[in-house]
Amino acid sequence: MNIVMITENDPAGMGIAFSNAINRYSEHTCRLITTTTRYNFGTEKDLHVPVLDEEGFGEISELLQKADVLHFHLLADENTELGPIRAKEFIAGKAILHHHHGHPDFRSHPDKYREKYHRLKRKALVSTPDLLKLLPEAVWQPNLVPINASNYLPGPIETKNMVRVCQAPTRKDLKNTTEFEVVMASLERKYGNVEGIVIANTRHEECLKIKQTCDIHFDHMQGYYGVSSLESLSQGKPVIAGLDEWNIKYIKEFSGCENVPWVIARNRDELEDRLEELIGNGGLRNRLGVASRRFMERYWTEQHVLKILMETYITL
């Protein structure tokens, strides 16, 4: 199959991550077209509309003409402007898939999208299990990270007095960053050898390097998990997140693993308690870190995640 992914900004770099994984681990080919850069994290690009010349737009036209599958991320569809080109000019006979990653408009108006896909007889994916509550007809497509790339491997074990705790939120207002900062300020005063780090406005490659040097990672307490969790689990770190029972159930079903590796904290008090336990117990941190990496190696490889996507493509 020839697959063309189309999105405005690349959501958490998952467009390029899936495209690379498809090209690496399957007999299919995939290209990614992006139209904007919302967060300047420096993730890899393929065909980025703002920098294309006439030759580049010619390549887009050729790819769309030969495509078997058009895979739209976020709110993109066949009417999305690709410079002077619209995918609708090439849509006849194509298999079409919509992939939602929690965009605020989708979260606020899910019925608009449910009606659209029902009317057009199209299938949809969602990136985290909580989004199934908004679009029950969709398939949960877990995100993936290249766990064997150097920045996703566990960093060297260092003997140091300072315990570093980090969070890498895309949007602080949506990821409980205020609660994290309040808790960390309290723990820093109490213990002295603790440092809280919020990694913001940082290129993705540098963000991953900083995360490798930290001892504990906090994702958020919104009930689900983010790509940041997968990155940190792959790096062999204890990861704190507020997973609810709905998400835990789906993670267990997908992975086939009865014990999820996340350290669960669903409110500020629980976050402080979990952090105190981890800060005061280096052996516990190490054991949980090893379990995190082992979980990704056994249950969340790119190949395992891609099976769902490949099965979905076949049904279109």
Side-chain angles (χ1 to χ4, degrees):
M1 287 185 289
N2 293 317
I3 303 151
V4 176
M5 294 185 175
I6 298 173
T7 185
E8 295 173 358
N9 62 292
D10 189 357
M14 286 300 100
I16 197 65
F18 274 103
S19 181
N20 287 340
I22 289 168
N23 292 325
R24 185 182 298 123
Y25 295 112
S26 82
E27 69 275 21
H28 310 297
T29 61
C30 185
R31 299 295 300 274
L32 173 68
I33 303 171
T34 50
T35 65
T36 63
T37 301
R38 182 163 298 167
Y39 306 107
N40 191 27
F41 295 153
T43 52
E44 180 186 348
K45 299 287 192 296
D46 184 2
L47 290 163
H48 190 48
V49 168
V51 300
L52 294 182
D53 55 14
E54 185 175 347
E55 182 179 351
F57 289 119
E59 185 176 7
I60 285 181
S61 294
E62 184 176 357
L63 288 170
L64 291 174
Q65 186 174 3
K66 294 181 178 179
D68 300 299
V69 177
L70 298 180
H71 182 153
F72 296 107
H73 290 270
L74 293 171
L75 309 186
D77 61 16
E78 62 268 31
N79 297 305
T80 298
E81 295 182 359
L82 308 175
I85 303 167
R86 303 291 181 278
K88 67 180 180 181
E89 303 165 18
F90 305 87
I91 207 168
K94 311 294 187 189
I96 297 174
L97 184 64
H98 294 271
H99 194 160
H100 286 281
H101 298 260
H103 188 283
D105 189 69
F106 172 69
R107 288 188 182 275
S108 299
H109 307 99
D111 289 343
K112 176 175 68 174
Y113 297 94
R114 292 187 69 187
E115 188 280 328
K116 174 181 177 179
Y117 304 148
H118 177 74
R119 172 169 45 86
L120 296 175
K121 296 181 172 58
R122 294 181 181 176
K123 291 193 174 184
L125 304 174
V126 292
S127 63
T128 50
D130 59 298
L131 298 178
L132 291 171
K133 297 177 183 180
L134 306 179
L135 194 62
E137 303 86 353
V139 172
W140 171 40
Q141 173 58 65
N143 287 324
L144 54 75
V145 294
I147 65 171
N148 294 316
S150 60
N151 284 341
Y152 294 86
L153 295 172
I157 298 175
E158 300 178 8
T159 302
K160 56 184 184 299
N161 294 325
M162 186 68 68
V163 178
R164 305 178 81 203
V165 186
C166 70
Q167 186 196 30
T170 302
R171 290 183 56 182
K172 296 179 182 180
D173 57 319
L174 300 178
K175 299 298 174 70
N176 303 104
T177 301
T178 298
E179 291 95 325
F180 173 69
E181 290 177 325
V182 169
V183 167
M184 287 309 306
S186 173
L187 294 175
E188 287 169 0
R189 289 192 298 269
K190 184 174 182 179
Y191 292 101
N193 67 330
V194 179
E195 180 184 12
I197 302 169
V198 175
I199 309 169
N201 301 317
T202 304
R203 292 179 67 82
H204 187 234
E205 184 176 357
E206 181 62 23
C207 173
L208 290 172
K209 289 179 180 179
I210 295 171
K211 290 172 73 172
Q212 276 182 322
T213 70
C214 293
D215 303 282
I216 305 165
H217 296 180
F218 170 62
D219 193 345
H220 57 71
M221 297 184 289
Q222 297 300 308
Y224 59 100
Y225 66 92
V227 173
S228 184
S229 268
L230 301 181
E231 294 172 346
S232 300
L233 292 171
S234 180
Q235 291 178 336
K237 308 296 182 179
V239 180
I240 301 175
L243 297 179
D244 60 22
E245 293 303 323
W246 173 280
N247 281 269
I248 290 173
K249 170 181 175 289
Y250 277 93
I251 291 169
K252 287 181 177 180
E253 289 178 357
F254 161 69
S255 66
C257 180
E258 186 57 31
N259 299 310
V260 301
W262 283 265
V263 177
I264 307 301
R266 295 172 178 153
N267 55 56
R268 197 176 82 178
D269 288 342
E270 290 184 0
L271 176 60
E272 185 161 5
D273 289 343
R274 300 295 85 76
L275 282 171
E276 282 210 85
E277 292 170 2
L278 289 168
I279 289 167
N281 192 331
L284 177 61
R285 293 198 304 272
N286 290 336
R287 290 193 298 274
L288 291 175
V290 169
S292 294
R293 177 66 190 183
R294 183 182 298 123
F295 175 82
M296 296 298 288
E297 291 175 335
R298 292 182 178 178
Y299 305 110
W300 214 289
T301 63
E302 291 173 282
Q303 298 95 315
H304 187 192
V305 174
L306 278 181
K307 287 180 181 179
I308 297 175
L309 185 57
M310 294 298 108
E311 289 170 359
T312 301
Y313 284 153
I314 292 170
T315 66
L316 298 177

